[in-house]
Amino acid sequence: MSAGSSSVGATVPQTATTSAHLFEARDVSAHYGRVHALKPTSLHVGRGELVTVLGPNGAGKTTLMRALTRLMPREGSLFFEGRDVSALKTHELARLGIIMVQEGRGLFGQMTVRENLSVGGFTRPHEDEKLETVFTLFPRLKERVDQISSSLSGGEQQMLAIGRALMADPKVLMLDEPSLGLAPKVATEILETLGELNRRGLGILLVEQKAPLALKLARRVYILTLGRVAAELPADQIGSHHDLARYYLN
Amino acid sequence: MISPAITSTRPRAAWTAALPVIAAGALIAYGLTSSGYIATVLGFAAIYGVFCTGLNFFMGYTGQASFGQNAFAALGGYGSAILTDRLGLEPVLAILASMSIAGIVALVVGYPTLRLRGHYLAMATFALGLITYEITIEWTSLTHGYMGYSGIPPLGLFGYELANEKQQLVALVVIALFGVWISNRLRNSRFGRALRAIAGSEAAAAALGINVARYKLAAFVIAALYASVAGSLFAHFIGFISPEVFGTAMVVLSFTMLYLGGIGTTWGPLVGALIASLIPEVLRSTLPGGLKEGQDIVYCAILILILIFVPKGLSSLGSLWQARRSAVREG
């Protein structure tokens, strides 16, 4: 077990300008005005790996996701498939295949399910084929294809948010608390689908508060507290809430 | 069963699709058989319909705020006036040339301005309208200042002029319908979906690969082109323009029309322009003598009542009616 940026640097041979990982962030930090909400943080996601970020409320998990996708100004370096993509804007990162499902889902509420999915595939060809893939994964979306998205249930909205992200042909999929506000059964269903996507080879960075569910899926865990990575460890090393609480309190 | 109110635009019955054309035909017939004054009022409505349809691209589809589209209407109006009067250009060519100028100005002004958001963008665009207003007043050698520009030729092509307001009304309605047709085509295109995604959530749109800044700029330029055409049409229809025509009142009136008809809808801007133009005329002719003094108060009360009871605008009346009918049918 090791903590923070130093641990990542110690386990992966790297140079200053390249990365062996699918996706890697080095010393990424972000501010809200004078508040240093995210201190220099490093993490990586390997090919076909599902990594989770756990942390209590206010730990900086959403800030981390927004900083990684450049939805807010940030410092630090970002690498994707070995290439330095630190200077790219949000839409340019998306075109490379770095796709994020935001907290609150970020659906286009006045658009139908089909239109939302269509926007998801905005930069990609073969929309019909991808639609079929999404409908196979989430058959309920097919039943509601002409329904306005704001009228869907919370679980269906989350399915749509993930389906829309899949339309964008992600190479690494980032999800910010996809189980937030969902009934336990629906949350489990959603997270199991993410597990299935990961088994198909999709790299996933999952931010969650529902630790037990996330830990079942993940290979590695980053624990974020007070805006910094307090620990990076294999998921199976966290046996109980007490283990997590220890990191949260430290 | 899924309520029609929450479903998308399913293939509509043929008569529903033909409704706008029938309404436009009835409107033209009414204008042609009424006095020249009524034709002028309807002509104004069609011009404002063009203006608001353009504004709808930026405010409705894209969800941005602009208080300065009157600047581009002024560019169109004065462009047409100056190009036809001083350079002897055909009105149609003058309209096209003015559109080009307005488009370039929108591109140049929009690039830095659209980095702003919300209230800041609203204030910046408002300033754009005020600056243009001042220029039209102060640059008297070009614009004739407060005196205004008169003697602008009517619409026409290859020497043929639409001599009276009724002939011009037909042309204006056709142009307004063409503008709505383009708006509808673009709204349901890939481009339109990108604009509506930006209106829904800029962050989510960007996270899916949409270049938000570029699409906002494109919507701004399209709105400017429509505004320029509206300004030019006004100049050729009335034959006279002054700074006041393109002042702040134009912004207020166009906002009223946009929300009255239904912001973000295809037909809303044109419907709003028509209703907001006709209500004062109907009140003028129907209110009894004693109440005529308070005509403006009655007008405002009607607008407020419409916005309270039909908050999504008059063009949503059809879907409201359908929703109620199916609710009654279900029990």
Side-chain angles (χ1 to χ4, degrees):
Chain A
M1 184 180 76
S2 54
S5 53
S6 58
S7 68
V8 178
T11 53
V12 181
Q14 57 195 209
T15 64
T17 53
T18 61
S19 167
H21 304 295
L22 172 66
F23 177 80
E24 182 178 356
R26 279 185 212 158
D27 295 328
V28 167
S29 64
H31 296 76
Y32 290 109
R34 288 182 180 176
V35 179
H36 201 172
L38 184 69
K39 299 178 178 77
T41 298
S42 299
L43 55 80
H44 68 269
V45 179
R47 289 176 198 281
E49 191 181 26
L50 196 155
V51 177
T52 189
V53 178
L54 298 176
N57 271 336
K61 301 188 296 294
T62 297
T63 303
L64 170 67
M65 296 297 258
R66 289 174 57 81
L68 291 179
T69 49
R70 221 178 163 194
L71 281 170
M72 65 184 293
R74 59 148 158 80
E75 295 94 48
S77 308
L78 209 65
F79 297 88
F80 181 66
E81 294 184 323
R83 174 186 159 198
D84 187 346
V85 294
S86 310
L88 298 189
K89 294 176 181 166
T90 306
H91 69 273
E92 292 166 331
L93 293 172
R95 284 168 188 236
L96 285 181
I98 303 169
I99 305 292
M100 180 170 75
V101 177
Q102 299 175 74
E103 183 184 13
R105 295 145 201 157
L107 293 180
F108 309 125
Q110 292 308 307
M111 287 190 186
T112 63
V113 169
R114 186 192 298 276
E115 286 174 327
N116 265 277
L117 292 172
S118 177
V119 173
F122 188 77
T123 59
R124 304 286 190 248
H126 313 302
E127 182 177 316
D128 289 343
E129 285 171 30
K130 290 201 185 69
L131 265 180
E132 279 313 308
T133 309
V134 170
F135 289 150
T136 309
L137 215 52
F138 302 113
R140 264 192 276 178
L141 293 182
K142 191 169 189 178
E143 293 165 20
R144 289 163 173 36
V145 70
D146 285 321
Q147 195 165 327
I148 294 292
S149 65
S150 58
S151 69
L152 299 174
S153 71
E156 289 164 350
Q157 287 193 9
Q158 192 60 62
M159 289 173 197
L160 178 56
I162 295 171
R164 191 180 64 180
L166 294 177
M167 292 290 293
D169 225 355
K171 289 181 178 166
V172 60
L173 182 62
M174 301 183 186
L175 300 106
D176 192 357
E177 302 215 30
S179 70
L180 191 70
L182 301 182
K185 192 183 165 192
V186 182
T188 307
E189 197 182 320
I190 296 277
L191 291 180
E192 280 173 355
T193 307
L194 293 178
E196 169 60 26
L197 288 169
N198 177 239
R199 282 191 289 281
R200 293 182 192 178
L202 180 61
I204 295 178
L205 181 64
L206 173 67
V207 162
E208 257 300 334
Q209 277 208 52
K210 286 193 169 68
L213 286 171
L215 288 171
K216 271 187 197 171
L217 300 170
R219 195 177 302 168
R220 281 188 303 115
V221 179
Y222 290 96
I223 294 175
L224 201 67
T225 55
L226 300 170
R228 64 182 185 83
V229 173
E232 178 203 349
L233 64 164
D236 55 14
Q237 280 196 16
I238 300 179
S240 67
H241 281 294
H242 292 295
D243 293 339
L244 270 181
R246 192 155 46 87
Y247 287 110
Y248 286 5
L249 294 171
N250 285 341
Chain B
M1 183 186 158
I2 298 162
S3 159
I6 55 171
T7 56
S8 70
T9 49
R10 290 166 182 281
R12 292 179 297 173
W15 70 269
T16 316
L19 206 59
V21 180
I22 296 168
L27 201 66
I28 292 175
Y30 175 60
L32 293 181
T33 53
S34 305
S35 65
Y37 176 71
I38 292 294
T40 304
V41 170
L42 292 174
F44 274 139
I47 291 169
Y48 263 101
V50 172
F51 183 83
C52 293
T53 301
L55 189 59
N56 196 36
F57 266 96
F58 193 62
M59 290 188 63
Y61 298 165
T62 321
Q64 307 300 309
S66 175
F67 288 67
Q69 292 307 111
N70 55 332
F72 300 107
L75 276 175
Y78 279 97
S80 263
I82 293 162
L83 292 173
T84 50
D85 180 47
R86 299 198 181 177
L87 300 182
L89 276 186
E90 288 271 350
V92 171
L93 295 178
I95 291 172
L96 293 174
S98 304
M99 276 176 80
S100 309
I101 295 167
I104 292 166
V105 171
L107 206 61
V108 172
V109 172
Y111 188 75
T113 309
L114 294 177
R115 289 167 184 265
L116 302 170
R117 288 183 185 182
H119 298 107
Y120 299 100
L121 176 61
M123 292 307 294
T125 51
F126 187 56
L128 179 66
L130 291 179
I131 290 167
T132 311
Y133 179 73
E134 285 301 317
I135 290 173
T136 55
I137 289 171
E138 300 297 334
W139 198 350
T140 49
S141 61
L142 191 71
T143 65
H144 302 176
Y146 279 119
M147 296 294 290
Y149 218 113
S150 57
I152 305 162
L155 285 172
L157 194 60
F158 305 126
Y160 176 76
E161 286 186 348
L162 301 175
N164 60 51
E165 54 277 283
K166 290 185 178 179
Q167 287 176 355
Q168 294 206 45
L169 173 64
V170 176
L172 291 174
V173 170
V174 169
I175 292 169
L177 287 176
F178 182 61
V180 174
W181 180 77
I182 291 173
S183 169
N184 188 43
R185 295 279 296 187
L186 285 177
R187 183 183 190 273
N188 296 314
S189 68
R190 186 171 175 272
F191 172 78
R193 279 196 296 278
L195 297 187
R196 289 188 290 139
I198 291 168
S201 165
E202 282 188 31
L208 292 167
I210 294 172
N211 187 340
V212 173
R214 186 180 294 173
Y215 277 88
K216 282 204 288 197
L217 185 60
F220 188 67
V221 171
I222 292 173
L225 295 178
Y226 271 81
S228 170
V229 172
S232 292
L233 291 175
F234 186 96
H236 293 297
F237 186 50
I238 302 301
F240 170 81
I241 50 170
S242 69
E244 293 304 324
V245 170
F246 307 112
T248 311
M250 184 180 203
V251 178
V252 176
L253 185 56
S254 62
F255 275 34
T256 307
M257 292 168 166
L258 201 54
Y259 282 92
L260 191 68
I263 188 165
T265 62
T266 307
W267 287 97
L270 192 58
V271 171
L274 185 63
I275 301 297
S277 303
L278 285 180
I279 290 175
E281 304 310 321
V282 173
L283 291 178
R284 201 192 322 275
S285 58
T286 55
L287 281 179
L291 279 175
K292 274 200 163 55
E293 300 281 317
Q295 186 191 312
D296 287 344
I297 296 171
V298 178
Y299 175 58
C300 291
I302 291 171
L303 293 182
I304 291 169
L305 286 173
I306 291 174
L307 290 175
I308 287 173
F309 289 105
V310 198
K312 287 185 177 174
L314 290 169
S315 63
S316 71
L317 271 175
S319 61
L320 266 179
W321 180 71
Q322 271 188 321
R324 285 209 179 157
R325 202 172 60 157
S326 54
V328 168
R329 203 183 297 151
E330 284 169 17

